[in-house]
Amino acid sequence: MTYEQWEHCITVECGLELTPDYVEQRIAALQDKSDFHTQKFVKTWGEKHRATVLARFQEAQQKLAQ
């Protein structure tokens, strides 16, 4: 899935706004492997997917900073 496809999924299909605060919160949560929700995410979707989603949010953060 490309960044553009991921962004469409997040913003259009899920109706979420990629604000700087939201993106920062998601990055922090996905980096905290001791967080209950992050652990549940990894258990459900796997470590590789967590790393991919984290990278997408980091890319969104870079795009918002431009």
Side-chain angles (χ1 to χ4, degrees):
M1 175 182 290
T2 67
Y3 174 82
E4 290 75 19
Q5 291 169 324
W6 174 83
E7 182 181 39
H8 175 84
C9 181
I10 293 294
T11 59
V12 176
E13 294 178 27
C14 295
L16 298 171
E17 187 176 349
L18 291 174
T19 64
D21 286 340
Y22 177 72
V23 169
E24 186 176 316
Q25 289 171 6
R26 297 312 311 140
I27 290 171
L30 288 165
Q31 288 178 329
D32 183 0
K33 293 185 179 184
S34 67
D35 180 83
F36 171 78
H37 297 290
T38 300
Q39 291 174 356
K40 189 171 179 180
F41 183 96
V42 171
K43 186 175 181 179
T44 302
W45 301 102
E47 175 58 31
K48 185 176 179 181
H49 189 64
R50 183 204 63 84
T52 299
V53 172
L54 175 59
R56 294 297 185 217
F57 276 109
Q58 290 168 331
E59 190 172 351
Q61 187 177 49
Q62 290 174 353
K63 289 182 183 294
L64 288 168
Q66 295 176 353

